[in-house]
Amino acid sequence: MWAVIQSFRLRDAVDIVLVAAVLYRVLVMFRGTRAVQMLAGLGGLMLASFLARRLELFSSSWILENFWSVWVLALVVLFQPEFRRGLAQIGQSPIFQALLGARGEQQSHVIDDVVKAAESLAGKRMGGLVVLERTTGLRHYAELGVPLDAIVSADLLVSLFLPYSPLHDGAVFIRDNRVAAAGCFLPLSRNTQLGRAMGTRHRAALGITEETDAVVLVVSEESGRISIAVGGHMESPLDRDALRGRLGELFELAGRPAPRRPGWWIPAREWLRK
């Protein structure tokens, strides 16, 4: 035993940690799916094969051993959805996204869909509140709503804010280029200098940006005005290009940010005077 401990190297510890991390991710990926039952079935076959050899049940042992000769193909067929989802998650990790340059492109598509949805809501005079996560994690806010984990699309965002939708009064959270949750409640701004003319939706947008670095897109139900809340201030881009450029600037999209121009944004106090 002491000889084994003496021969233990640092690379052995790293190897054990890596294997444990991979097994943990596999178990997390399989949790809550049918793969759990299939894994239990494979475990049962392994136990049966062991018992057949110990009890010298030659026929059963022969059948089970022939099954294990094609176990790789069986695993690929049985766990095809889980393998595909796992590989997709690996490809969506920040490291690979940065190496392939795909994260910025995905973020660009997300912003395009958000701007398109905001314009559609403004044209129909429907209120909207979309929270875009940056570096500060917003999971504890998103957990107050209904989890979705859906691909971002303009049609989905518009449908979530339809008046007859049960989630239209809350905020939509976009995290890691996906719609994480909807119908979420946000903390209201504690700024006592805000006038009563500012509605609850805009106060909620300012409230979360006072506590985090999130960017919040707000569509006014009364006026159809599209505004951006960031850093505790409310900005009102003049048109679609200005809105798209400002969001690109906030998320540092290469080749997309437009330079700031005077009159682009209006702090909360000035916005209230209009």
Side-chain angles (χ1 to χ4, degrees):
M1 183 65 180
W2 179 248
V4 174
I5 296 176
Q6 285 183 324
S7 63
F8 191 79
R9 302 166 300 173
L10 178 61
R11 66 182 64 184
D12 296 326
V14 174
D15 189 22
I16 293 173
V17 171
L18 289 176
V19 172
V22 171
L23 290 176
Y24 172 76
R25 292 304 305 171
V26 169
L27 292 175
V28 170
M29 182 177 63
F30 285 171
R31 184 182 61 182
T33 66
R34 292 180 303 170
V36 176
Q37 286 78 22
M38 289 188 286
L39 284 175
L42 288 175
L45 289 176
M46 293 176 64
L47 178 62
S49 179
F50 173 77
L51 292 176
R53 287 196 302 267
R54 294 287 294 182
L55 299 176
E56 298 182 354
L57 303 176
F58 300 109
S59 298
S60 300
S61 179
W62 180 84
I63 293 174
L64 292 172
E65 287 176 0
N66 279 276
F67 169 79
W68 291 116
S69 64
V70 293
W71 68 271
V72 175
L73 180 61
L75 287 178
V76 171
V77 173
L78 290 174
F79 300 111
Q80 179 186 4
E82 285 74 20
F83 284 135
R84 185 169 53 192
R85 185 171 65 250
L87 292 174
Q89 290 177 356
I90 293 174
Q92 291 173 358
S93 65
I95 297 176
F96 286 98
Q97 293 290 333
L99 292 175
L100 298 175
R103 190 169 184 83
E105 184 178 354
Q106 285 187 355
Q107 187 74 65
S108 179
H109 287 308
V110 168
I111 290 178
D112 287 337
D113 283 322
V114 170
V115 171
K116 184 178 178 181
E119 287 188 324
S120 178
L121 292 172
K124 299 175 182 178
R125 292 296 178 89
M126 294 189 301
L129 189 60
V130 180
V131 180
L132 299 161
E133 182 181 280
R134 290 203 284 181
T135 58
T136 305
L138 303 175
R139 178 172 296 180
H140 59 289
Y141 293 109
E143 288 176 348
L144 299 177
V146 178
L148 293 180
D149 190 25
I151 297 174
V152 178
S153 69
D155 294 334
L156 173 62
L157 294 175
V158 171
S159 65
L160 291 174
F161 292 110
L162 292 175
Y164 48 81
S165 170
L167 305 176
H168 77 280
D169 280 333
V172 169
F173 275 80
I174 295 180
R175 184 175 65 241
D176 296 332
N177 296 328
R178 295 183 67 84
V179 180
C184 304
F185 296 98
L186 305 181
L188 298 182
S189 174
R190 298 181 181 180
N191 190 345
T192 58
Q193 297 181 352
L194 297 178
R196 294 184 178 180
M198 181 172 286
T200 304
R201 187 175 283 113
H202 290 81
R203 288 178 178 272
L206 288 175
I208 194 169
T209 59
E210 290 171 355
E211 300 180 5
T212 69
D213 67 344
V215 177
V216 185
L217 198 70
V218 192
V219 180
S220 174
E221 187 175 354
E222 291 76 16
S223 63
R225 181 198 296 264
I226 302 175
S227 304
I228 295 176
V230 57
H233 296 283
M234 193 70 69
E235 308 178 5
S236 295
L238 301 177
D239 52 30
R240 174 175 182 169
D241 293 335
L243 175 62
R244 180 64 182 81
R246 179 60 176 139
L247 289 174
E249 180 182 351
L250 291 169
F251 286 92
E252 301 178 353
L253 298 181
R256 289 304 187 97
R260 279 206 188 199
R261 293 174 289 180
W264 245 45
W265 59 278
I266 306 173
R269 297 181 188 177
E270 298 180 15
W271 184 84
L272 288 172
R273 296 194 189 107
K274 292 187 175 292

